[in-house]
Amino acid sequence: QVQLVESGGGLVQAGGSLRLSCVASGRTFGGYTMGWFRQAPGKEREFLAAISRNSGSARYGNSVEGRFTISRDNANTASLQMNSLKPEDTAVYYCTGTPGGFLPTLAGQFAYWGRGTQVTVSS
């Protein structure tokens, strides 16, 4: 059974940084794209970043490009470094993964999801 577990969320002041980590288990994710989404109360799930299976390419959502960086520590671990955080970044952050080498941006294109970790940015 595939599981994705996020960690690293918490409370941070505006302008600060956080690093989220995601560990996948149940199968080797070497052939999978991994990504991050977030969802704030009353809003749709928003694409943040995706990274290819060999870490050769990545893509970002418009709202976070230049502030967030996705990386892949090994086949089954991905991280999201978040800098210059703003109060509007407050949300539950989800790790996700899907087989293949493409870089999807729609939630429906990802097969596996973690349960999420809360990030709260105070002003």
Side-chain angles (χ1 to χ4, degrees):
Q1 182 179 357
V2 174
Q3 280 192 315
L4 300 176
V5 179
E6 304 94 340
S7 62
L11 175 64
V12 64
Q13 288 188 332
S17 299
L18 278 177
R19 185 177 180 88
L20 304 183
S21 295
C22 172
V23 178
S25 62
R27 68 179 57 187
T28 300
F29 264 55
Y32 285 53
T33 290
M34 295 186 75
W36 290 90
F37 282 72
R38 70 185 178 191
Q39 189 165 19
K43 295 189 176 181
E44 293 186 355
R45 196 161 291 193
E46 177 188 8
F47 170 75
L48 300 178
I51 188 167
S52 63
R53 54 193 175 185
N54 61 1
S55 300
S57 57
R59 68 190 304 180
Y60 295 89
N62 291 338
S63 64
V64 303
E65 189 159 17
R67 298 190 298 126
F68 291 9
T69 303
I70 190 171
S71 62
R72 201 131 176 197
D73 308 314
N74 55 52
N76 279 46
T77 303
S79 298
L80 186 68
Q81 177 66 40
M82 306 187 295
N83 298 329
S84 302
L85 285 163
K86 307 173 183 179
E88 51 264 45
D89 293 320
T90 295
V92 177
Y93 283 67
Y94 297 91
C95 176
T96 186
T98 200
F102 66 116
L103 295 175
T105 61
L106 300 178
Q109 295 175 297
F110 285 89
Y112 301 104
W113 292 84
R115 298 183 69 176
T117 185
Q118 176 70 44
V119 171
T120 303
V121 184
S122 63
S123 57

